[in-house]
Amino acid sequence: MKLNGTLLVSEAYVTPIYLGNYSKVKVQANGHAQWFTIPAEAAGRTMTVNFPKKGSFTVYDEEGEYPLNYSIVSGNNKVTLPKGGTIVFSGTPGSEFTITMK
């Protein structure tokens, strides 16, 4: 749905982040960012993201209002995941992010 020029997505389409040690996320060909929830069992784990020059990621708190890490501002590619938070990966179409979890 679009609202005042902003594209919105239903929570039904936001899936939990993969909790394995290694994964990849790719920005869709249409340029839409990829959103993920942080399941309770991921809380406290450290996520490290290698991201492209024209890409970024943001981790939000449980309320979705406060960014705990915005890679463009912080310059940090590591973050401790909060319980119930969300993660968004954005960049140019086809941008690929490599994720490790510990």
Side-chain angles (χ1 to χ4, degrees):
M1 171 163 74
K2 260 192 169 176
L3 178 65
N4 296 325
T6 301
L7 183 64
L8 305 173
V9 64
S10 168
E11 285 185 24
Y13 295 104
V14 180
T15 59
I17 189 82
Y18 177 69
L19 299 180
N21 294 330
Y22 177 83
S23 63
K24 290 186 178 186
V25 171
K26 196 172 190 178
V27 173
Q28 301 173 34
N30 59 15
H32 295 169
Q34 296 286 83
W35 285 86
F36 297 92
T37 58
I38 301 170
E41 59 269 24
R45 291 183 71 181
T46 300
M47 180 179 78
T48 303
V49 181
N50 290 321
F51 52 93
K53 189 174 184 177
K54 293 187 177 183
S56 67
F57 74 99
T58 306
V59 176
Y60 291 94
D61 66 359
E62 187 173 12
E63 302 300 318
E65 296 176 9
Y66 180 71
L68 301 175
N69 184 57
Y70 178 35
S71 63
I72 288 178
V73 174
S74 72
N76 192 359
N77 72 330
K78 290 184 181 183
V79 64
T80 301
L81 298 176
K83 179 181 176 186
T86 53
I87 306 167
V88 61
F89 298 92
S90 58
T92 57
S95 295
E96 191 170 87
F97 300 77
T98 303
I99 303 161
T100 56
M101 295 271 193
K102 291 190 178 191

